[in-house]
């Protein structure tokens, strides 16, 4: 099976049932380049990924590919060392606490009280840390009113705004500091000289630095608390954001943290922070935004392409787009992206095809109902709106709608064309081919990007190189992957006698 050129999403779907899914997906991510496909390259990472995937499709286990004995040995050694360190730290902390060696006075006279306090404080700390991740993940989410757990719905409403969330984060940090303060006293053992429950002395001599730092000063206890009370609940909450907030303790912790924040414990820090000027928000990754909006819409543009073909006597254009659908039930699809200068007097017509691949069936072409092109005038431009729908029923998951709109326009010595990115698209292509008999001045592209939600604009001017084809015709083109929504591309070029 030839894997070169397959999209990342396609490979992930194919490999979704494989036992070594995680390992293979990491290989895929490492091997995918900017265009989002598995490149036919000699780069080591890409070559290794290709071989690993070929292994998988051939029915062989995925583990042996290019790991080598040295790599396997290193990973095995790391696993053994981490296991020994984990067991040693747990033994030292729990054993010393039971032995009554804690730096916290009440825990010395009553080790059972010390153990109980540690369990209670770690449990509270775990919910504080887990609620942090949960609320950060759920703040911008849309939780329906009929969500099965009413407690999650209530808590989501109390921290939905940025101000409420800031109050929670400030209060949560105070709770963490208080808990860590008491736990650090519990898990420091300045009087411990032997390994718990034995007569074996702790390391001395030049190794006494280990005893002083890790045991007497409580670094081993800090690592133990980090594992159990901080990292573990954060990892759980990242996978199941609502799990922490479903319990009564989770609600108590979240509401207490918010109340502490509302009380103004962070006021001094907020006062000093006002002296620092803010920075513009970092824009989201275009790919992430593309996938997010595509999921919300239920469809996405795979391609939008616009081409001009110009001779001394005529000018013709073609606009193509390819759309796929992720959810069923959409009756009609409307495209509004075709803009042309009014002075060119364009006369377009459209051709539409719809391909469907049903599970267990071969690909088939589905009849399409095309509505007439709708012409809207917008200043010096004409916008052509096209609508299509299946002749019977609605669009189905996996449908691929391809539409080509072409026509003629008046030839002008000074040409321009504008394209507005109104919806997420994977790939945008603009191309202009013209006769060698025509001389052309350097074509330019003016890119206008909206920033700060459209409040400000950023403009760039790019000169486009001219290329010569095999038959002598010349062309210039511009291609863009995942262009940000709101981008306006204005192409300017002019001709003179060649």
């Amino acid at each position: 099976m030839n894997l070169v050129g397959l999209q990342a999403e396609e490979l992930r779907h194919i490999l979704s049932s494989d036992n070594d899914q995680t390992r293979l997906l990491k290989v895929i991510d490492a091997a995918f380049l900017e265009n989002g496909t598995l490149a036919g390259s000699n780069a080591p990472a890409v070559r290794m990924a290709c071989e690993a995937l070929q292994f998988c499709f051939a029915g062989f286990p995925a583990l042996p590919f290019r790991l080598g004995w040295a790599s396997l040995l290193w990973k095995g050694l790391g696993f053994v060392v981490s296991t020994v360190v984990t067991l040693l730290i747990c033994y030292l902390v729990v054993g010393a606490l039971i032995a009554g060696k804690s730096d916290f006075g009440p825990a010395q006279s009553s080790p059972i009280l010390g153990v109980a306090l540690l369990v209670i404080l770690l449990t509270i700390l775990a919910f504080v840390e887990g609620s942090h991740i949960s609320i950060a993940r759920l703040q911008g989410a849309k939780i329906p009113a009929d969500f099965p757990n009413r407690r999650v719905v209530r808590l989501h409403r109390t921290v939905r705004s940025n101000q409420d969330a800031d109050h929670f984060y400030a209060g949560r940090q105070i709770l963490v500091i208080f808990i860590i303060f008491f736990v650090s006293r519990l898990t420091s053992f300045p009087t411990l000289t032997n390994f718990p429950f034995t007569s074996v002395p702790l390391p001395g001599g030049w190794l006494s630095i280990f005893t002083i730092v890790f045991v007497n000063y409580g670094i081993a206890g800090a690592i133990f608390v980090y594992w159990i009370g901080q990292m573990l609940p954060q990892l759980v909450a990242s996978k199941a954001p609502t799990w922490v907030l479903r319990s009564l303790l989770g609600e108590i912790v979240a509401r207490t943290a918010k109340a502490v924040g509302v009380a103004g414990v962070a006021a001094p820090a907020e006062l000093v922070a006002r002296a620092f000027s803010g920075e513009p928000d970092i824009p989201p990754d275009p790919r992430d935004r593309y996938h997010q909006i595509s999921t919300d819409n239920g469809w996405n543009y795979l391609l939008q392409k616009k081409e001009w073909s110009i001779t001394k006597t005529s000018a013709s254009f073609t606009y193509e787009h390819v759309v796929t659908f992720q959810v069923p039930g959409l009756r009609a699809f409307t495209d509004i992206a075709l803009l042309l200068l009014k002075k060119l007097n364009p006369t377009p017509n459209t051709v539409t095809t719809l391909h469907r691949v049903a599970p267990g069936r071969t690909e088939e072409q589905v009849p399409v109902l095309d509505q007439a092109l709708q012409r809207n005038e917008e200043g010096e431009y004409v916008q052509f709106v096209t609508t299509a729908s299946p002749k019977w029923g609605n669009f189905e998951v996996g449908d691929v709608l391809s539409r080509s709109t072409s026509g003629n326009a008046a030839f002008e010595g000074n040409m321009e064309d504008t394209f507005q990115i109104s919806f997420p698209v994977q790939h945008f292509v603009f191309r202009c081919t013209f006769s060698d008999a025509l001389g052309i001045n350097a074509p330019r592209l003016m890119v206008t990007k909206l920033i700060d939600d459209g409040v400000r604009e950023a403009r760039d001017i790019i000169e486009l190189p001219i290329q010569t084809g095999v038959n002598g015709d010349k062309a210039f083109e511009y291609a863009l992957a995942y262009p940000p929504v709101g981008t306006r591309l204005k192409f300017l070029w002019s001709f003179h006698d060649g």
Side-chain angles (χ1 to χ4, degrees):
M1 177 181 292
N2 184 16
L3 303 176
V4 174
L6 285 181
Q7 292 292 323
E9 290 78 6
E10 296 172 322
L11 282 171
R12 287 189 176 92
H13 177 71
I14 293 172
L15 297 173
S16 60
S17 61
D18 190 87
N19 292 331
D20 292 305
Q21 177 188 5
T22 303
R23 185 184 299 106
L24 289 171
L25 293 188
K26 287 182 180 179
V27 175
I28 294 172
D29 288 335
F32 277 66
L33 306 183
E34 287 299 322
N35 61 357
T37 61
L38 189 62
S41 167
N42 289 325
V46 177
R47 189 170 61 249
M48 185 183 73
C50 291
E51 293 175 1
L53 293 171
Q54 296 285 12
F55 244 116
C56 173
F57 280 105
F60 294 100
L63 180 62
F65 62 87
R66 290 293 178 96
L67 285 178
W69 288 108
S71 179
L72 290 174
L73 182 61
W74 179 255
K75 290 187 176 184
L77 180 61
F79 175 77
V80 171
V81 172
S82 63
T83 301
V84 171
V85 171
T86 300
L87 294 176
L88 177 61
I89 288 178
C90 292
Y91 161 69
L92 284 174
V93 172
V94 177
L97 194 58
I98 295 175
K101 300 295 183 179
S102 172
D103 190 36
F104 186 60
Q108 296 176 6
S109 57
S110 178
I112 296 178
L113 175 63
V115 174
L117 282 174
L118 181 63
V119 171
I120 293 172
L121 290 175
L122 285 182
T123 301
I124 297 174
L125 179 62
F127 276 89
V128 171
E129 295 286 1
S131 62
H132 179 196
I133 301 299
S134 297
I135 290 176
R137 290 280 302 273
L138 297 176
Q139 183 186 357
K142 297 178 181 179
I143 297 181
D146 58 349
F147 189 78
N149 191 287
R150 302 302 303 168
R151 182 175 287 116
V152 174
V153 177
R154 291 196 303 268
L155 288 176
H156 181 256
R157 289 173 180 170
T158 62
V159 293
R160 191 159 42 189
S161 70
N162 289 334
Q163 184 179 17
D164 289 335
D166 289 343
H167 287 154
F168 165 79
Y169 295 140
R172 168 254 172 206
Q173 192 62 40
I174 288 294
L175 293 181
V176 169
I177 292 173
F178 283 174
I179 295 172
I180 292 295
F181 174 78
F182 284 107
V183 171
S184 64
R185 292 289 304 276
L186 272 173
T187 56
S188 297
F189 311 106
T191 61
L192 185 67
T193 56
N194 296 334
F195 282 98
F197 316 121
T198 71
S199 57
V200 179
L202 291 172
W206 64 274
L207 287 178
S208 61
I209 188 66
F210 166 82
T211 302
I212 296 172
V213 173
F214 280 89
V215 179
N216 300 151
Y217 287 172
I219 297 299
I223 297 175
F224 178 81
V225 172
Y226 165 75
W227 286 338
I228 306 300
Q230 294 185 289
M231 200 62 201
L232 176 60
Q234 289 184 12
L235 292 174
V236 172
S238 66
K239 294 181 178 180
T242 65
W243 181 83
V244 176
L245 304 180
R246 289 173 183 265
S247 66
L248 177 60
L249 181 57
E251 181 177 9
I252 293 174
V253 165
R255 292 189 181 277
T256 303
K258 183 184 175 183
V260 172
V262 172
V265 293
E270 292 173 352
L271 183 64
V272 175
R274 290 173 186 168
F276 294 85
S277 58
E279 296 181 352
D281 293 336
I282 299 175
D285 184 89
R287 296 190 185 192
D288 294 339
R289 182 164 177 78
Y290 168 82
H291 290 297
Q292 180 61 49
I293 299 181
S294 299
T295 301
D296 294 340
N297 290 345
W299 55 268
N300 62 282
Y301 282 107
L302 292 180
L303 171 70
Q304 285 183 312
K305 182 170 67 173
K306 202 170 186 180
E307 293 188 81
W308 282 91
S309 179
I310 300 176
T311 66
K312 276 193 171 184
T313 58
S314 66
S316 60
F317 63 88
T318 301
Y319 164 63
E320 300 178 31
H321 67 257
V322 180
V323 180
T324 62
F325 298 87
Q326 287 89 39
V327 296
L330 186 65
R331 175 57 189 154
F333 176 79
T334 301
D335 179 83
I336 60 173
L338 182 55
L339 284 175
L340 293 168
L341 276 175
K342 190 188 304 182
K343 67 179 182 179
L344 298 180
N345 193 25
T347 56
N349 58 80
T350 184
V351 176
T352 306
T353 57
L354 176 61
H355 294 272
R356 176 169 296 164
V357 182
R361 296 166 57 186
T362 58
E363 180 178 324
E364 61 179 346
Q365 186 167 326
V366 179
V368 180
L369 287 176
D370 263 329
Q371 296 183 8
L373 285 172
Q374 180 181 343
R375 180 186 178 107
N376 300 328
E377 295 190 1
E378 294 187 354
E380 59 181 341
Y381 289 95
V382 179
Q383 179 189 54
F384 291 94
V385 180
T386 57
T387 303
S389 59
K391 193 170 184 179
W392 301 285
N394 301 323
F395 288 108
E396 298 181 4
V397 176
D399 282 359
V400 179
L401 179 69
S402 303
R403 178 180 288 144
S404 175
T405 302
S406 59
N408 298 316
F411 174 76
E412 292 279 342
N414 296 315
M415 301 284 291
E416 70 175 71
D417 197 1
T418 298
F419 199 94
Q420 180 75 35
I421 306 295
S422 302
F423 296 97
V425 58
Q426 264 195 35
H427 300 286
F428 169 80
V429 179
F430 181 90
R431 181 180 295 114
C432 178
T433 60
F434 53 94
S435 170
D436 187 40
L438 288 170
I440 186 171
N441 299 317
R444 293 175 299 142
L445 166 62
M446 181 182 295
V447 182
T448 302
K449 297 179 181 179
L450 297 179
I451 53 180
D452 293 346
D453 294 328
V455 177
R456 295 187 294 131
E457 295 181 346
R459 290 185 175 90
D460 295 321
I461 296 179
I462 303 171
E463 289 195 1
L464 302 175
I466 300 174
Q467 302 175 348
T468 302
V470 178
N471 57 0
D473 287 346
K474 295 183 179 180
F476 64 89
E477 68 177 14
Y478 180 76
L480 194 60
Y482 301 96
V485 174
T487 302
R488 179 179 285 262
L489 305 170
K490 187 175 184 179
F491 299 88
L492 305 166
W493 69 100
S494 59
F495 294 100
H496 58 268
D497 292 335

